[in-house]
Amino acid sequence: MRNGHSPTDGRALGVIPLLLALLARERLEARLLTHLFVQFPLLLAAGALLAGPRLPARLVPWNRGGAAGLALAAVILAFWMLPRVVDASVGDGRWAFAKFVALPVAGAALAWSLPLAPWLARQFLALQTMAMAGATGWLYLALPERLCLRYLRSEQDELGAALVIAAVASFFFWLGQVLRAPAGEPTILRPGRPFPAEASA
Amino acid sequence: MSPSGRGRTALATAVVLLAGAGAFLAETEGLRAFTSETARRLAVARSPRPLPTVVLRDDRGERLTFPIPGRPMLVEFVYTSCPTLCVTLGATFTRIQDRLAEAGAPPVLQLLSVSFDPARDDAPALRAYAEAHGADPTRWRVVLPESEADLRTLLEAFGIVVIPDGEGGFVHNAALHLVDRGGRLAAILDPDEIERAVEGLGG
């Protein structure tokens, strides 16, 4: 739908997930699972869409290989996974505002950086994210403690199970993609050259 | 890839990671507080928190102003129809009451069970809770804040978050709150830290 239009047309779509996350705020935040599995992704998607796929030219020298942007996204996401920060974003308006800024920024950073990242770095990030999600989910299930004051212990179990399922499912999806790659193309299981994306550098 | 590009990217990445690590360390108080409850306890341990003055009413309709100047007290938050946590808290208060009596502490009001459930906890409900736990009214009162505003003020000041449990009851952060002579929240203890609680009360 972008054909013949200026690139800003696609970006404007980012307003939709942002408004959804904002208008359905109370409903989404009423449950831990929808808070983290629906509102968070909506805000990331909003940021990614609003930013557009292309890194602005003056930022290019600051984000070679997407390193700075991926670091920024990782730092923001790690911070917003802290139980006390999740709690605060429900009870405190300032923290809620911070969430509606920080997560779209992380989404924008991902959109501007992932396509620039070397192939090997992308595989590493994918596996790392799955491992973290799986381990965190398992931790939520195993800990007897209620981690969020704003949410029930049973909701923590729900989120834990969802994280484990998402981690396992995305691992098999990833594995399927890697195994199904055309014979000539290098995969992590069949490396063609040691560092394909860096080979031309 | 130009050397200057690499240099600037390395700089930007380093700044992002350092700022991120700083924010993470600050927000977790040096990797100690990942949850709101731990953060609440650390904050109080670091600097005792002054408490607002509120009016409470006990099961006999007697009004009392909290905090009482010069009187160390122990405060727990409950709702009397609670089947689980508040029973534990009540049992803890019973043991602390006994310990204070054994230690020869002066027979004055030092234990407060504050209900946050005005809809159900009328005077008879408060009395039933007090009687079920053997509360001696000279040392221990079961009370309800006089107004909704007093209740909100109190919960806010102590950092208590009450949420519905979906089955008609509530879930809340349960702890023993030690209030010092100056009327400040001085320590937040686990229900099993009876010795520290008795010590804090001067018993």
Side-chain angles (χ1 to χ4, degrees):
Chain A
M1 87 171 266
R2 198 175 293 162
N3 284 350
H5 294 272
S6 74
T8 47
D9 289 347
R11 290 195 206 175
L13 286 177
V15 176
I16 295 170
L18 187 65
L19 279 178
L20 273 177
L22 189 66
L23 295 176
R25 202 189 142 203
E26 275 191 29
R27 279 187 149 239
L28 294 174
E29 291 177 1
R31 292 194 80 79
L32 186 56
L33 189 64
T34 50
H35 189 174
L36 267 68
F37 259 70
V38 181
Q39 196 192 50
F40 274 31
L42 279 174
L43 291 172
L44 290 171
L49 285 168
L50 288 169
R54 197 161 286 278
L55 180 67
R58 65 201 145 79
L59 289 181
V60 167
W62 298 93
N63 197 28
R64 297 271 179 216
L70 290 174
L72 180 64
V75 157
I76 292 176
L77 287 174
F79 187 82
W80 281 90
M81 289 303 284
L82 284 172
R84 72 173 294 196
V85 177
V86 172
D87 260 343
S89 81
V90 180
D92 185 329
R94 288 162 301 180
W95 278 101
F97 179 75
K99 178 173 73 182
F100 274 81
V101 173
L103 291 178
V105 166
L110 283 174
W112 282 347
S113 308
L114 264 182
L116 303 176
W119 173 87
L120 195 62
R122 282 207 300 269
Q123 308 309 314
F124 172 77
L125 277 176
L127 286 173
Q128 172 71 12
T129 307
M130 294 172 209
M132 284 293 290
T136 311
W138 179 80
L139 197 67
Y140 288 172
L141 286 168
L143 278 179
E145 202 183 343
R146 188 167 62 102
L147 293 174
C148 282
L149 287 183
R150 301 271 168 191
Y151 296 103
L152 300 174
R153 182 65 186 74
S154 59
E155 297 186 67
Q156 190 171 315
D157 280 337
E158 240 174 57
L159 177 65
L163 279 169
V164 170
I165 291 168
V168 172
S170 38
F171 175 74
F172 281 110
F173 179 75
W174 174 86
L175 197 65
Q177 292 235 311
V178 167
L179 289 174
R180 235 181 288 133
E185 219 171 273
T187 72
I188 199 151
L189 301 178
R190 282 186 274 112
R193 288 161 295 177
F195 294 96
E198 301 275 26
S200 59
Chain B
M1 205 180 275
S2 73
S4 73
R6 282 190 187 210
R8 274 185 271 180
T9 295
L11 178 67
T13 308
V15 167
V16 164
L17 289 177
L18 278 175
F24 204 83
L25 281 174
E27 192 54 23
T28 58
E29 328 246 344
L31 302 184
R32 287 181 301 163
F34 291 90
T35 66
S36 321
E37 182 59 9
T38 326
R40 178 174 86 105
R41 295 181 183 206
L42 280 175
V44 165
R46 203 173 38 234
S47 60
R49 184 187 299 172
L51 294 170
T53 303
V54 290
V55 178
L56 310 168
R57 202 179 273 278
D58 72 8
D59 62 308
R60 290 167 303 186
E62 203 173 300
R63 296 173 83 224
L64 67 106
T65 306
F66 171 87
I68 303 173
R71 176 90 52 88
M73 295 183 91
L74 206 58
V75 180
E76 59 169 19
F77 291 88
V78 298
Y79 65 107
T80 67
S81 47
C82 171
T84 51
L85 262 177
C86 317
V87 177
T88 316
L89 283 173
T92 300
F93 261 32
T94 307
R95 288 180 61 191
I96 293 171
Q97 175 179 259
D98 294 347
R99 287 292 316 276
L100 287 171
E102 282 165 28
V108 292
L109 180 61
Q110 285 195 291
L111 304 175
L112 275 184
S113 299
V114 181
S115 162
F116 51 72
D117 186 12
R120 278 176 294 188
D121 286 346
D122 50 11
L126 298 179
R127 192 171 314 129
Y129 183 88
E131 280 168 7
H133 290 99
D136 164 8
T138 53
R139 293 188 192 276
W140 177 6
R141 300 278 176 91
V142 184
V143 299
L144 185 69
E146 192 167 57
S147 68
E148 191 72 35
D150 275 342
L151 173 59
R152 269 200 307 273
T153 306
L154 206 57
L155 293 179
E156 173 96 3
F158 278 84
I160 304 293
V161 177
V162 179
I163 56 171
D165 71 358
E167 291 163 15
F170 299 101
V171 170
H172 59 108
N173 37 345
L176 305 176
H177 302 83
L178 188 63
V179 178
D180 66 13
R181 284 173 206 285
R184 300 174 309 169
L185 178 55
I188 300 173
L189 310 174
D190 275 331
D192 59 3
E193 295 184 275
I194 290 177
E195 290 312 314
R196 278 188 65 194
V198 170
E199 205 175 296
L201 290 175

